[in-house]
Amino acid sequence: MPEDQPLFVIDDLHVSVEGKEIVKGLNLTARRGEIHAVMGPNASGKSTLAHALMGHPRYEVTKGKVLLKGENILRLKPDERARRGLFLAFQYPRAIPGVSMVNFLRSALRSVRDEDVPVREFRAMLRETMDLLKLDDEFVRRYVNDGFSGGEMKRAEVLQMGILKPEMAVLDETDSGLDIDALRTVAEGISALADGTRSFLIITHYQRILNYVRPHFVHILFDGRIIKSGGPDLAHELEAEGYEGIIAAAQGAR
């Protein structure tokens, strides 16, 4: 991959759900090491964007391209996108009764690498990430998300990210349902992975997670389009003034 080539490019993306267009021409470029925050009110298209990027079959891409390291990944299945280095942390992760976290994580890592993972290497990675997220041994013996609290589910998502170490991570409202202590712990896990080798797209409704994970760029999404982009101060402006003023200004400029 050439050094000057962006890691991730969303180019004029249009997405429909059951025949209704939700994302209406979205553009975003992320270079390696950058953290982008996409913020927006309810029903602006945030989760539709996240699911479409990962290839959920319910979300139909009708136009546009999504390039990861220069390759258009829209033709790929979700598992192939994951092998290319894309990761999605779900807002509402599914439970998988009967499958322990530790077995799930090792199988996922083996699948993404397309080769077996030495036990010693896996255990070292697991221990390091668990310590970072303040998780005890009992956590990874439990079934995936089965009976987990909202905060435990989000820690499980970040634990997966810490093990798989994707190059491009999309986090769909990872901060929702977290109390302040859980939010800080999850944010510390994200920050530890933000080592300049990978990029993040943090999709969020509120500014609070951005108090702990400082983005390079903030984008405001409304009615399926990015209506304003800026630096981290844009999130503080939004927190102080709300979405209404920014939306009204964007609509007035059309």
Side-chain angles (χ1 to χ4, degrees):
M1 174 180 168
E3 289 187 5
D4 60 346
Q5 179 177 291
L7 175 66
F8 193 64
V9 177
I10 304 173
D11 180 17
D12 193 26
L13 186 68
H14 293 248
V15 183
S16 293
V17 180
E18 298 176 351
K20 181 180 179 181
E21 187 173 52
I22 305 297
V23 173
K24 304 173 181 176
L26 193 147
N27 297 285
L28 190 150
T29 297
R31 297 187 177 278
R32 193 175 292 277
E34 291 180 348
I35 299 174
H36 291 250
V38 173
M39 307 181 70
N42 290 331
S44 58
K46 301 190 300 299
S47 290
T48 295
L49 171 64
H51 284 91
L53 292 177
M54 203 65 221
H56 192 299
R58 181 166 178 260
Y59 299 83
E60 181 188 5
V61 174
T62 57
K63 186 180 178 184
K65 294 184 291 187
V66 177
L67 306 178
L68 178 61
K69 294 178 285 187
E71 179 185 16
N72 190 354
I73 61 172
L74 292 180
R75 63 178 178 79
L76 303 176
K77 296 177 181 177
D79 61 309
E80 294 172 322
R81 300 183 193 200
R83 290 192 184 93
R84 299 294 199 278
L86 184 66
F87 176 87
L88 171 63
F90 292 99
Q91 183 179 3
Y92 302 109
R94 293 290 186 91
I96 312 178
V99 178
S100 69
M101 281 295 302
V102 65
N103 286 336
F104 173 76
L105 291 168
R106 192 171 180 208
S107 295
L109 183 59
R110 186 187 299 123
S111 178
V112 166
R113 289 188 177 182
D114 200 22
E115 63 180 14
D116 201 6
V117 183
V119 173
R120 180 174 296 182
E121 178 188 351
F122 174 71
R123 285 179 175 172
M125 294 174 62
L126 185 61
R127 171 52 55 196
E128 179 184 0
T129 312
M130 287 172 61
D131 289 346
L132 184 67
L133 294 171
K134 300 180 174 60
L135 298 172
D136 58 30
D137 292 344
E138 181 59 29
F139 185 86
V140 294
R141 296 192 188 103
R142 297 167 64 185
Y143 295 148
V144 177
N145 292 323
D146 190 23
F148 282 20
S149 67
E152 287 174 330
M153 286 186 182
K154 300 309 173 67
R155 290 187 188 190
E157 292 291 286
V158 178
L159 177 60
Q160 292 173 49
M161 188 170 64
I163 295 297
L164 299 178
K165 293 183 169 50
E167 291 182 84
M168 184 70 215
V170 179
L171 311 179
D172 184 15
E173 303 207 28
T174 296
D175 52 339
S176 66
L178 298 182
D179 60 29
I180 191 64
D181 291 331
L183 175 65
R184 185 181 296 116
T185 300
V186 166
E188 287 173 353
I190 296 169
S191 297
L193 287 167
D195 58 2
T197 64
R198 56 186 56 86
S199 296
F200 294 83
L201 191 61
I202 299 176
I203 296 172
T204 182
H205 189 74
Y206 301 106
Q207 186 264 344
R208 60 181 194 155
I209 193 172
L210 306 181
N211 290 330
Y212 302 100
V213 183
R214 186 175 174 80
H216 297 94
F217 302 96
V218 175
H219 311 277
I220 307 301
L221 181 63
F222 176 72
D223 193 25
R225 299 180 180 89
I226 290 177
I227 59 172
K228 186 172 184 177
S229 296
D233 289 345
L234 180 55
H236 297 289
E237 176 187 334
L238 193 64
E239 185 73 5
E241 302 178 10
Y243 287 106
E244 288 186 6
I246 293 174
I247 291 171
Q251 290 176 327
R254 285 184 183 177

